[in-house]
Amino acid sequence: MEAYVRHGSFVESLGAPRVFAHDIGTLRGFGDILHQVPGIRKYDRTTAIARPDDVVFLKSAPDKTYLQWLGEVGLGSKNIVVINGREDVSLPERIMKNGGKNTLDQLLGDSRNGAVFSPYYGGRLERRTSDYLGLFMYSHTELAEELDNKIGFKLTCKKLGIPVVKESIIDTYMTESEMARVIQQRLEKTGKVILRGEYGASASTIHVLNHVDTSFLQGLRKRYPTRDRFLVEPFFETRSSPSSVWFIKRDGSIIHLRTSNQILENGISHLGNEFPVQFDEGFVDRMSFRFAQYLAKKGFIGPFGLDYIETEKGIFATECNPRMTGAIYPWELVYLLEQKGSVRAARSENIKLPHGCREFKVLKQLWNDVLYDGKSSEGVVIPYNVGPIRTGKVTVLCTGDSTESVMGLLSYIKSKLESIEM
C-alpha cells in the first residue's frame, strides 16, 4: 500500500496565499433546507482557520469582539473582506458583481500570482469566480459534480470492493404503486427504510419510512416534477457514524486529515464530530485510502469526505462529499493546536444559545476560564462558527486528554449558558 500523510493540514495543503470564499448555499439541492436551519446563510467557518495573510471573503461582518479575540490568541486572518448583497445572492456572485478582483489586488499585491482559490464546493459558479479573480481553483468541477451523485458513488464502491448497503432505486416518473412495491420489498428487511436523494446536502433529501405512505409518495412526485432518483435502503440501527476527511494535492499526493465519529441529530442531520472513536478506525482508513487513490488517478484535487455507518452487520460506506465538510474545519483547528502539544480527544458541536448570549462578548465573559489562550492544546474551547450567533447558534471545538474530560468541558460551557437563560 502506498503511503499517505496522516493528520495533515487542509489549509497548508492548498499552498499560499489562500483566498477563501466558502458559501454552503451553492450546493445542489441546498434550497430545500435554507428555511429549515436557522442562520445557515451566515455560516462562517473559515475566519478561524485562515492564516494571517490569507484573504477571507464573507457575506456579513463577523462579530468585532470575536475578531479581536482571534487576534489575541494567534488565530485568523487580517484580510477579512465583507461583500454585501441580497440574502439570496451567493458569495461567488457577489464577488464577481461587486469588484472583488480589485479588492484582492490591493490586499495581495505581487503575492496574488501564486494565490489559490478555495471554495466550499468547486462547482461551475465557483469556477467562473476563480476565472474572474484570475486564480487557480482547488477543485475539479466535472469530477466534483460526478462524485456528488450518491448512486454513482455506490456503484464505484462496489467496483473498488468497499462495502455498501444493498439498495433499490425509485424515481419520480414511476407511479405511486410502482414506488410502493419497491419500498415494501426493502421494508421487509428491517421494518424501516431510508430514502436518499441522488443529490442533496445536510440531509436535505433524506426521508425515513416505517410503512408505505401513498400520500407521501404523491407529495414526493409533486415536489420533484423532473425525473429525480432516490436510493431505497433498509434502515439499520447504527452503532456509530464514521467520517473520514481527506485532501488530494495537485501532484496527486494524498493527505489524511482525520477520521472521527459523526454526531447526528435524530440519527440523520449533522451536529458535530468527535475522536477518539470506538469503531474500527483502521478499516475505515483503509477503505477511504482505497477510494482516495481512485480519485487521485481520476485527477480529483482538493478536500473530500467519506461517510459510513457502523451496524451490527459491519461498516458500510454511504456517500462521498467532494468538497469541504463540517468535519474539516474543527480538525484544522486541532492541527494548529497539535503544533503546541498533544490533543488526545476532541469534539465539535453546534450549540444553541439563549437570547441573552447572542453576542460574543457575553460568551467570552461566560467561558473566559476555558477559552483557548493561545498556549494550551487540551482542556480548551474554541468557538469557530460565530457567523450565526445572533440567530442563536454557535459551533465550538472542545479538547481534552480523554473523551470524558471533553464531555465534562462541553457540559460546563452549556451550564454557563443555562445560568443566563434562568
Side-chain angles (χ1 to χ4, degrees):
M1 179 182 288
E2 297 177 29
Y4 58 86
V5 175
R6 185 169 173 80
H7 295 172
S9 163
F10 146 68
V11 172
E12 292 173 14
S13 297
L14 285 165
R18 294 147 289 249
V19 178
F20 294 102
H22 288 200
D23 184 356
I24 193 173
T26 65
L27 289 178
R28 180 171 179 171
F30 181 79
D32 293 333
I33 62 170
L34 276 176
H35 305 296
Q36 299 176 26
V37 183
I40 198 166
R41 290 186 188 268
K42 296 184 180 297
Y43 274 25
D44 167 21
R45 296 174 286 192
T46 50
T47 295
I49 65 170
R51 307 307 196 255
D53 293 326
D54 295 339
V55 176
V56 179
F57 282 111
L58 297 175
K59 291 192 290 186
S60 55
D63 184 293
K64 290 182 180 179
T65 306
Y66 178 64
L67 284 181
Q68 181 181 353
W69 174 76
L70 283 178
E72 290 170 355
V73 299
L75 294 174
S77 167
K78 64 177 185 290
N79 299 321
I80 305 293
V81 181
V82 179
I83 306 212
N84 297 316
R86 291 198 327 268
E87 190 178 61
D88 61 342
V89 178
S90 71
L91 183 56
E93 290 173 296
R94 293 187 193 187
I95 291 171
M96 290 186 284
K97 290 179 179 179
N98 297 326
K101 184 176 181 179
N102 294 333
T103 303
L104 194 64
D105 290 341
Q106 294 168 9
L107 289 173
L108 293 183
D110 293 339
S111 65
R112 81 171 331 279
N113 295 328
V116 295
F117 182 60
S118 168
Y120 184 82
Y121 170 68
R124 301 180 190 189
L125 175 60
E126 286 82 359
R127 184 166 62 186
R128 291 204 305 272
T129 306
S130 69
D131 290 342
Y132 161 77
L133 293 173
L135 300 178
F136 172 79
M137 181 176 74
Y138 232 117
S139 182
H140 188 306
T141 297
E142 289 75 19
L143 281 176
E145 291 178 342
E146 177 185 328
L147 293 164
D148 212 19
N149 184 310
K150 293 177 176 58
I151 295 175
F153 169 72
K154 293 194 74 170
L155 291 174
T156 300
C157 284
K158 291 174 184 177
K159 292 177 184 177
L160 297 175
I162 300 172
V164 293
V165 174
K166 290 183 179 179
E167 82 289 341
S168 299
I169 296 174
I170 61 172
D171 69 60
T172 51
Y173 273 18
M174 296 169 69
T175 65
E176 284 90 351
S177 60
E178 288 173 329
M179 288 193 283
R181 188 159 50 248
V182 174
I183 292 170
Q184 184 61 47
Q185 290 174 345
R186 289 298 169 190
L187 276 170
E188 292 170 1
K189 183 77 174 177
T190 61
K192 189 186 290 187
V193 299
I194 182 167
L195 271 62
R196 299 193 296 127
E198 187 170 10
Y199 299 96
S202 299
S204 60
T205 59
I206 289 180
H207 309 276
V208 177
L209 303 174
N210 54 21
H211 66 283
V212 175
D213 185 339
T214 305
S215 62
F216 166 78
L217 296 177
Q218 289 174 344
L220 198 67
R221 294 182 67 210
K222 290 179 181 178
R223 186 177 177 185
Y224 301 98
T226 56
R227 191 165 201 161
D228 287 82
R229 297 194 296 172
F230 287 80
L231 290 160
V232 184
E233 302 165 336
F235 187 100
F236 291 104
E237 295 300 325
T238 58
R239 295 175 175 176
S240 64
S241 300
S243 160
S244 197
V245 286
W246 299 71
F247 190 94
I248 300 177
K249 300 176 72 171
R250 276 189 264 188
D251 63 4
S253 57
I254 298 170
I255 313 296
H256 175 232
L257 304 179
R258 186 78 58 166
T259 293
S260 61
N261 181 47
Q262 286 194 84
I263 308 155
L264 301 176
E265 193 170 26
N266 303 320
I268 297 176
S269 57
H270 182 258
L271 186 66
N273 289 76
E274 63 184 353
F275 72 82
V277 299
Q278 300 298 315
F279 55 79
D280 186 344
E281 185 174 354
F283 175 79
V284 171
D285 288 352
R286 289 194 300 275
M287 295 300 101
S288 300
F289 181 54
R290 186 180 297 178
F291 196 84
Q293 289 177 301
Y294 163 78
L295 292 189
K297 287 177 182 176
K298 285 180 69 71
F300 181 86
I301 56 173
F304 70 95
L306 295 171
D307 291 343
Y308 299 78
I309 55 171
E310 182 195 23
T311 76
E312 62 178 11
K313 296 183 178 295
I315 295 176
F316 304 96
T318 57
E319 67 180 36
C320 171
N321 293 305
R323 51 173 171 81
M324 290 294 293
T325 76
I328 293 177
Y329 302 98
W331 303 155
E332 183 64 29
L333 291 171
V334 167
Y335 172 85
L336 292 172
L337 292 174
E338 287 178 331
Q339 309 314 301
K340 302 177 183 298
S342 65
V343 179
R344 285 165 283 184
R347 178 178 173 117
S348 65
E349 187 173 318
N350 296 330
I351 294 181
K352 295 179 182 178
L353 301 172
H355 284 285
C357 299
R358 297 183 179 182
E359 292 181 86
F360 187 73
K361 65 181 180 181
V362 178
L363 295 183
K364 184 180 179 184
Q365 185 176 5
L366 284 175
W367 298 343
N368 187 57
D369 55 334
V370 292
L371 278 180
Y372 177 55
D373 59 4
K375 301 174 184 177
S376 305
S377 60
E378 291 183 338
V380 297
V381 176
I382 302 180
Y384 66 90
N385 182 19
V386 181
I389 190 170
R390 292 190 181 278
T391 65
K393 181 189 290 185
V394 70
T395 314
V396 302
L397 170 73
C398 294
T399 68
D401 59 7
S402 66
T403 298
E404 292 73 23
S405 66
V406 169
M407 294 307 295
L409 182 55
L410 195 58
S411 296
Y412 173 73
I413 63 173
K414 288 180 179 178
S415 70
K416 288 286 191 176
L417 297 176
E418 291 168 0
S419 68
I420 294 294
E421 194 169 22
M422 293 170 61

